[in-house]
Each structure stands twice: as structure tokens, then as C-alpha cells.
């Protein structure tokens, strides 16, 4: 393999999550360094409910399947509007910089619909994606991580509501 191709492959491995094909935490951290303040940028955070239960009862291969299927749904719904990242085990985020014509409520409805359709056609594991969102606001946020933190608070509220709702 020539050196140029090797470099390209290694760079991709450093910036992409191997399981999902989404951008990884390294890529996200690089973006944050470059965009110290990106006024108006929207961040949507996601967390998968019941992954631990899935791993514990059905095995890690099924847990990996859950992660991959959820990532595909997130990417289908948000990928053409922003960059999708797998931040950690079952945590994802999407960064949307150019919000012209972007309707968050429509995308969230589409996310819920995609989950329902997936869950109706697959017996296990059932996908349940909690989400939260926040726009970077220079008056509220010291840095971009503060906006992601605000989105995370909303996501965990949604996560508790989904678990409490027995959905």
C-alpha cells in the first residue's frame, strides 16, 4: 500500500468511530478547538436508554447492534444538516452550524418516527434515544462546552421522562 493511502486510512481511523462510522470524540474535540465561539450553532445531544440492560441480558454483540442502529437513525435524520459524532459509549451529538431552513422540531419528530418504525420491525433490542439541545449563546456560554452541557441537562430530563413513562 502506498504511503499516501496509508496516511489517509490512518487519518480516517483517528477521526471516525469504528463501530458506527460517525465522527468520533477526537474529531469533536478538534472542532471545538477550532470554533471557540460559534454563535447560533446548535448542538443536539443524544443518549441511548437501556444499553447496559441490553448488554447484560442479550450480550455485547447485541449492544453493539443497538449502538449501530441508533447511530444510523441519528445520521439519517440529522446527517444532512450537521456533523454527527459518537462522543462516548452510548452518547452522541450533532453540531449544526448553518441553521437556515433547519426545523429542529421536524427533525425530532422524524427521529421519534424512525425509532417507532425500527422498533415495530425489529423484536430486539428496542431503540430508545433521549435527546436535548441548546444553541451557543455568547451571553450565556463561556465556551462551546457550556452549550453542550445545557443540551445535556435537557437530554437527561428527556431520558428520565422516557424511562419513567415506560416507553
Amino acid at each position: 500500500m502506498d504511503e499516501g493511502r496509508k496516511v489517509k486510512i490512518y487519518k480516517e481511523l483517528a477521526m471516525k468511530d469504528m463501530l458506527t462510522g460517525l465522527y468520533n470524540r477526537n474529531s469533536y474535540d478538534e472542532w471545538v478547538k477550532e470554533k471557540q465561539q460559534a454563535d447560533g450553532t446548535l448542538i443536539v445531544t443524544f443518549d441511548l436508554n437501556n444499553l447496559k440492560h441490553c448488554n447484560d441480558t442479550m450480550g455485547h454483540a447485541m449492544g453493539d447492534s443497538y449502538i449501530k442502529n441508533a447511530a444510523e437513525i441519528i445520521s439519517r435524520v440529522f446527517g444532512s444538516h450537521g456533523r454527527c459524532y459518537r462522543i462516548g459509549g452510548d452518547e452522541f451529538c450533532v453540531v449544526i452550524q448553518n441553521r437556515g431552513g433547519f426545523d429542529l422540531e421536524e427533525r425530532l419528530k422524524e427521529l421519534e418516527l424512525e425509532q417507532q418504525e425500527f422498533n415495530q420491525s425489529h423484536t430486539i433490542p428496542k431503540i430508545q434515544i433521549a435527546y436535548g439541545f441548546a444553541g451557543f449563546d455568547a451571553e450565556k456560554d463561556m465556551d462551546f462546552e457550556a452549550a453542550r452541557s445545557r443540551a445535556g441537562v435537557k437530554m437527561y430530563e428527556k431520558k428520565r421522562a422516557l424511562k419513567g413513562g415506560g416507553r
Side-chain angles (χ1 to χ4, degrees), residues 91-109:
E91 295 178 42
F92 301 84
C93 75
V94 176
V95 175
I96 302 162
Q97 290 185 272
N98 301 317
R99 291 169 56 182
F102 178 76
D103 186 337
L104 178 61
E105 291 302 317
E106 275 302 309
R107 296 292 68 77
L108 294 176
K109 285 178 190 173

Side-chain angles (χ1 to χ4, degrees), residues 8-150:
K8 185 178 178 184
I9 289 169
Y10 291 139
K11 185 175 181 179
E12 177 128 343
L13 290 172
M15 302 306 272
K16 293 279 183 114
D17 175 63
M18 296 300 295
L19 181 64
T20 64
L22 300 181
Y23 289 97
N24 64 19
R25 180 63 184 248
N26 292 334
S27 183
Y28 173 79
D29 289 343
E30 284 297 314
W31 182 85
V32 169
K33 284 180 199 170
E34 292 172 12
K35 310 286 185 192
Q36 291 298 316
Q37 292 190 353
D39 231 359
T41 297
L42 179 67
I43 185 164
V44 186
T45 59
F46 307 90
D47 189 86
L48 308 182
N49 280 358
N50 307 315
L51 178 62
K52 182 178 178 351
H53 177 73
C54 178
N55 282 333
D56 290 349
T57 60
M58 295 179 250
H60 287 274
M62 196 59 81
D64 285 352
S65 178
Y66 183 169
I67 291 168
K68 287 194 301 194
N69 289 323
E72 287 173 12
I73 290 171
I74 292 167
S75 183
R76 265 196 312 273
V77 173
F78 291 94
S80 64
H81 303 285
R83 187 172 263 195
C84 302
Y85 300 90
R86 181 177 178 205
I87 297 296
D90 66 346
E91 295 178 42
F92 301 84
C93 75
V94 176
V95 175
I96 302 162
Q97 290 185 272
N98 301 317
R99 291 169 56 182
F102 178 76
D103 186 337
L104 178 61
E105 291 302 317
E106 275 302 309
R107 296 292 68 77
L108 294 176
K109 285 178 190 173
E110 186 179 341
L111 179 75
E112 304 248 349
L113 182 63
E114 290 261 352
Q115 287 178 87
Q116 288 173 359
E117 289 174 359
F118 180 90
N119 289 336
Q120 288 171 353
S121 63
H122 296 79
T123 55
I124 54 174
K126 298 291 185 195
I127 291 179
Q128 191 178 78
I129 305 171
Y131 55 82
F133 53 89
F136 179 84
D137 182 339
E139 292 187 20
K140 288 183 190 176
D141 302 316
M142 194 164 87
D143 56 23
F144 193 73
E145 284 302 293
R148 189 167 78 93
S149 179
R150 288 189 300 109

